[in-house]
Amino acid sequence: MLQTTNNKGEFWTARGQVNYSRSFFDRHEVSAIAGLEFRETTTNGTQSVILGYDENLQTGVSQTVDFGIMSTLANSPYFICTTRGRNEATYPANSYGYSYYFSDYMGLVLEQHHRYASGYANITYTYDSRYNIFGSFRKDYADVYGLNSRFRGKPLWSAGAGWNVHNENFAHDLTWMNFLKLRISYGVTGNIYQGATSYLTAKTDGVNIHTKLPYATISNPANPNLKWEQNRTTNIGMDFSLLNYRLRGSFDYYNKVGKDIFSRKTLDATAGFPSMNANVASIRNRGIELAVSYDWVAPHGRNCFGWTTSMTLAHNRNIVTDVETPATKAWEQISTPFKTGYPVSAIWSYKFAGISEAAGQEGQTLWEIENGGTAHNASTHSVEILEYSGQRDPKINVGMENSFRWKGMTLSVLMAYYGGHKMRALAEYDVYGIPDSSIASYFLNAWTPENRTDTPGIGRYGCQSSSSVGSEAASSNKAVHDADFIKIRNIVLGYNLPEAWLRKYGINNCQLQFQINDPKAIWVKNNIGIDPETLGHRGRSSYVFGLNINL
């Protein structure tokens, strides 16, 4: 089968801007800009499927299939549930045939048409090259929102100040300080969430299997009060260069508060919809960012040795400060993990309580429930039975690059550390009977009366009906592991040919380069053999050879 998608886009932008810059009285500098911008985007496309596609012969057999009949075919002898050699029930052919394999890969890519307009201005004033203040303002309009005229345009602004300490008189004698700037700013920025609209929207879904007539489904209720998501950011930082520019870098502390964030809002049952997108959530991010470079050996020419180390460090802590949490059952909290006071990427888990030895339930997983009890199926119990197991996003990111130069040769090694987060991997699931497909290797250690392990049983010691196979194992605390790691991102070896060799051929620069990307991790905190980035086998290393010539 060959599935193809053809996307088409039309985009235009018009902008008009005026610039102003002036210095006066030798100490005052003013620069400003102001402008208008208009944008329009239109995207659409088509999707198609060719059955029996032969790449060599360039042939297919889709013309022999009536997809219209297939889409309305309720039952077929070709879709039969077979368990332990017995034909037990027929499956709806349209659900397990047409809908599963074809419906999402055929037809039109729905057209989306949007218009945007913006007006902006900013101004900066500097006094004596020592102090500066700035301010900016813009207002954006988008057709995504607008039923309520109060929310059609979003005013955004920022203001800040800076102090060039190195230009002060008292700093002139500090020969070790080449540059030092302290700065502070506060600003309000906005974001358009494309997954929501102010208008009542419907989507055509195909043909009714009973009436054979086309129908549409209302996918989004109208909400005239939708508005832009808003981020209010306070930033305090500094930029520096010291020791004759050998040590240089920047440091930032930020506090970012997200208001009017989109989330699902529960509606009254009489509204006709269980929930809708609305500006009902708030998020806070706090953290630091540090970037530092140091020339251990500063190169003074092509034939001299040079060694520079650059490091970046970022630490972030985010929490949900306000969100509607309608979850009353455990499975609801698992599927929508947002909860006030916890990170956006919080992991919620069922607490593993061992393997059952009770008659009729031997080998089945047990989970903690209320009042110290245990049960095989816990998803419909209270959210209070769940455990907070950490967050998926790293709390700390560190990058370090060492660069070496000597006689035209260059070598750089980029390393990264991600830490403070968790991952869920290698869950051990209950099964009903003996699977017809391949069997997971962990069942080599399956529970039996003679081998009492924490791995679910299989066969006579597995689940005795398909309805008793729960979803708890996929969200088990037993499957949560540390995700910290240290990796080499790339190793790059290069050589710049001498200019004297190239000049007679009219070449300004010629560089040979060999690069290794993503070699095996140096260190992984978990001991289960899982790559924390792929949640499976590590990605393949790649090797790149390049030649760059500038004439």
Side-chain angles (χ1 to χ4, degrees), residues 7 49 110 139 209 231 269 347 425 432 496:
N7 289 314
V49 170
L110 297 181
K139 194 169 186 178
I209 62 175
N231 290 307
I347 300 175
Y432 166 44
N496 291 293

Side-chain angles (χ1 to χ4, degrees), residues 92-109:
N94 56 344
S95 298
Y96 289 86
Y98 177 78
S99 298
Y100 188 82
Y101 291 104
F102 304 116
S103 64
D104 291 339
Y105 308 104
M106 301 175 63
L108 298 175
V109 177

Side-chain angles (χ1 to χ4, degrees), residues 1 30 44 68 72 116 135 186 221 252 286-287 289 301 318 322 343 348 386 396 438 471 482 530:
M1 182 174 75
V30 177
N44 53 40
T72 61
Y116 309 89
Y186 177 83
D252 288 272
R286 285 179 178 169
E289 294 179 349
N318 73 69
D322 185 23
W348 298 97
L386 296 177
I396 302 174
S438 59
S471 60
D482 293 317
I530 293 295

Side-chain angles (χ1 to χ4, degrees), residues 289-302:
E289 294 179 349
L290 174 67
V292 179
S293 294
Y294 185 73
D295 295 327
W296 300 97
V297 180
H300 298 288
R302 173 186 172 87

Side-chain angles (χ1 to χ4, degrees), residues 170-232:
F170 66 79
H172 292 168
D173 295 331
L174 303 178
T175 57
W176 53 270
M177 183 173 66
N178 308 106
F179 178 85
L180 177 61
K181 181 176 183 177
L182 306 181
R183 46 187 167 76
I184 183 172
S185 64
Y186 177 83
V188 179
T189 59
N191 178 60
I192 298 176
Y193 175 63
Q194 297 285 359
T197 176
S198 296
Y199 302 92
L200 180 73
T201 57
K203 179 181 178 182
T204 54
D205 281 338
V207 178
N208 185 283
I209 62 175
H210 301 294
T211 65
K212 312 302 181 186
L213 296 175
Y215 69 94
T217 301
I218 296 177
S219 55
N220 189 75
N223 184 356
N225 296 322
L226 288 184
K227 51 189 175 181
W228 292 54
E229 294 181 329
Q230 186 180 109
N231 290 307
R232 304 173 184 177

Side-chain angles (χ1 to χ4, degrees), residues 5-11 42-46 109 111-112:
T5 300
N6 180 27
N7 289 314
K8 178 183 177 182
E10 297 179 1
F11 313 91
T42 302
T43 58
N44 53 40
T46 58
V109 177
E111 182 174 284
Q112 295 190 39

Side-chain angles (χ1 to χ4, degrees), residues 27 126-132 162-175 177-182:
R27 292 191 174 187
T126 303
Y127 172 73
D128 198 25
S129 298
R130 291 182 292 168
Y131 315 108
N132 64 67
W163 178 24
N164 292 317
V165 179
H166 62 284
N167 286 334
E168 295 288 351
N169 292 330
F170 66 79
H172 292 168
D173 295 331
L174 303 178
T175 57
M177 183 173 66
N178 308 106
F179 178 85
L180 177 61
K181 181 176 183 177
L182 306 181

